[in-house]
Amino acid sequence: MSELRFNELRGEQVAYAIQRQDRTFLPDRAHCPLDPTQPGGPPTEIPLPEFEIVVFDNRFPAFESPAGAAEVVVYTDEHDGSFGLLSPGRAEALMWVWRHRYMELGSREDVQYVYIFENRGIEIGVTLHHPHGQIYGYPFLPPVAALELDADTRLGGCAPCLMLETERVDGRRIVYENEAVQAHVPYAARWPYEVHLSLRRHCPSLLECEPEELRLLSVGLQALVRGYDALFERPMPYVMAVHQAPTGGRAAGHGHLHVEFYPPLRDASRLKYPAGSEQGAGTFISDVLPEDAAGALREAIVRGG
Ligand SMILES: [Zn+2]
Ligand SMILES: [Zn+2]
Ligand SMILES: [Zn+2]
């Protein structure tokens, strides 16, 4: 069982999931637990000879019922690949899987916030290379979600709606757009190539999206990720964070669907490591201006196709 402790000095929860220390760490190609189980072969996490998208409970959960949830979402049965290289149909189907899990987990009494994310690359601490993401159902409202709701209050309206409009009018930091989504490097990005890809319309979550918006969301996300890979001509490590409205408590329903990307690279081989100022003072110091990052990313997205 994991344990939650409240850190009084920072005013935040810390989860202890001790059993995670034993989790599978970068297995060799032949022992990938997210591969399909071959007839006569060793069993994997997925007892099927082939599959499209699979969701299952994380065997090493940070949160579990009756105090939250932790799930694994496997994007494909093909080991080699990435989110950006999924077929367009598969990427679109993934949006529906996310939507379904948001609805299911969000309806649970012990889940206050459904968080869909992907960690990519060993730089981010990924332990399995097979294309997959995760979903946490937090039994409380986590601090980043609370900060964004505070921004709504401070600005007197939906903060992502206001950001979308400000960035659209300015234009210098936009890296991608289609009819349903707009992606920009934030005016005050913390990571060198951070991007926020937002639904243009005010939708609190995937549940309020039209089918065409879900499709265009997948198109935008794939274009961005392929652009990231083209930027330094190498697979770009990143954290992909899907931000949606909280599902429980007083904050339920308040939010605006957007997806944030935090790539830790500042060039092809150098990491931006959160160090003294970032960790000890909470102030990011970046050596790439968001306007310059956006220019490079715009070109990379075109190259990435
Ligand atoms: Zn695999
Ligand atoms: Zn909004
Ligand atoms: Zn956000």
Side-chain angles (χ1 to χ4, degrees):
M1 255 331 243
S2 60
E3 180 185 336
L4 271 184
R5 294 186 183 179
F6 190 72
N7 180 316
E8 291 290 354
L9 198 53
R10 295 195 56 115
E12 68 190 17
Q13 301 281 0
V14 179
Y16 296 85
I18 310 304
Q19 74 281 17
R20 283 171 61 84
Q21 286 292 10
D22 303 323
R23 72 190 192 275
T24 319
F25 182 77
L26 291 175
D28 62 52
R29 177 70 188 78
H31 296 92
C32 174
L34 305 184
D35 276 359
T37 298
Q38 297 304 336
T44 69
E45 294 286 336
I46 303 153
L48 299 164
E50 57 184 65
F51 61 85
E52 294 192 2
I53 299 173
V54 166
V55 180
F56 59 87
D57 284 330
N58 197 322
R59 276 212 299 134
F60 307 98
F63 303 101
E64 60 190 317
S65 180
E71 297 184 336
V72 177
V73 185
V74 185
Y75 301 163
T76 167
D77 58 8
E78 289 176 37
H79 180 87
D80 298 303
S82 64
F83 172 74
L85 297 177
L86 297 176
S87 72
R90 181 68 58 82
E92 183 182 358
L94 181 61
M95 303 299 107
W96 286 92
V97 169
W98 286 355
R99 184 181 191 272
H100 179 256
R101 296 321 301 156
Y102 178 84
M103 184 174 63
E104 287 273 312
L105 295 175
S107 69
R108 275 173 47 175
E109 287 280 318
D110 62 331
V111 171
Q112 299 270 308
Y113 186 76
V114 180
Y115 175 48
I116 298 165
F117 65 101
E118 179 186 333
N119 297 329
R120 184 190 188 203
I122 49 173
E123 294 86 350
I124 301 288
V126 161
T127 53
L128 297 171
H129 285 312
H130 196 112
H132 74 287
Q134 300 183 64
I135 306 177
Y136 281 178
Y138 290 85
F140 54 87
L141 184 69
V144 172
L147 276 175
E148 293 196 350
L149 294 171
D150 289 349
D152 290 356
T153 308
R154 191 174 66 245
L155 295 169
C158 173
C161 274
L162 291 166
M163 301 288 124
L164 271 168
E165 181 59 10
T166 308
E167 294 295 347
R168 191 188 62 76
V169 169
D170 184 304
R172 285 177 297 165
R173 288 172 298 274
I174 303 259
V175 297
Y176 173 88
E177 50 193 333
N178 64 33
E179 294 95 276
V181 303
Q182 172 184 305
H184 58 259
V185 178
Y187 170 72
R190 304 163 98 214
W191 298 93
Y193 293 93
E194 178 173 340
V195 168
H196 294 190
L197 187 149
S198 314
L199 214 73
R200 288 181 185 280
R201 201 163 62 81
H202 178 80
C203 280
S205 76
L206 293 159
L207 288 181
E208 291 80 16
C209 287
E210 300 294 335
E212 182 63 0
E213 288 173 322
L214 292 178
R215 188 185 72 79
L216 287 167
L217 173 62
S218 71
V219 169
L221 290 172
Q222 285 201 293
L224 175 58
V225 169
R226 287 195 300 264
Y228 271 141
D229 288 352
L231 182 65
F232 300 133
E233 293 177 341
R234 54 160 289 179
M236 180 69 127
Y238 60 70
V239 171
M240 176 182 75
V242 182
H243 285 166
Q244 304 186 75
T247 54
R250 278 185 303 162
H254 292 277
H256 179 135
L257 169 63
H258 61 281
V259 184
E260 303 191 3
F261 286 83
Y262 320 131
L265 292 184
R266 49 199 175 111
D267 60 32
S269 57
R270 285 187 303 164
L271 278 177
K272 161 68 193 172
Y273 199 84
S277 184
E278 289 81 7
Q279 295 198 48
T283 297
F284 269 69
I285 297 179
S286 181
D287 47 16
V288 181
L289 262 185
E291 292 74 32
D292 297 338
L297 259 176
R298 258 196 309 275
E299 288 172 20
I301 289 171
V302 172
R303 281 204 308 279

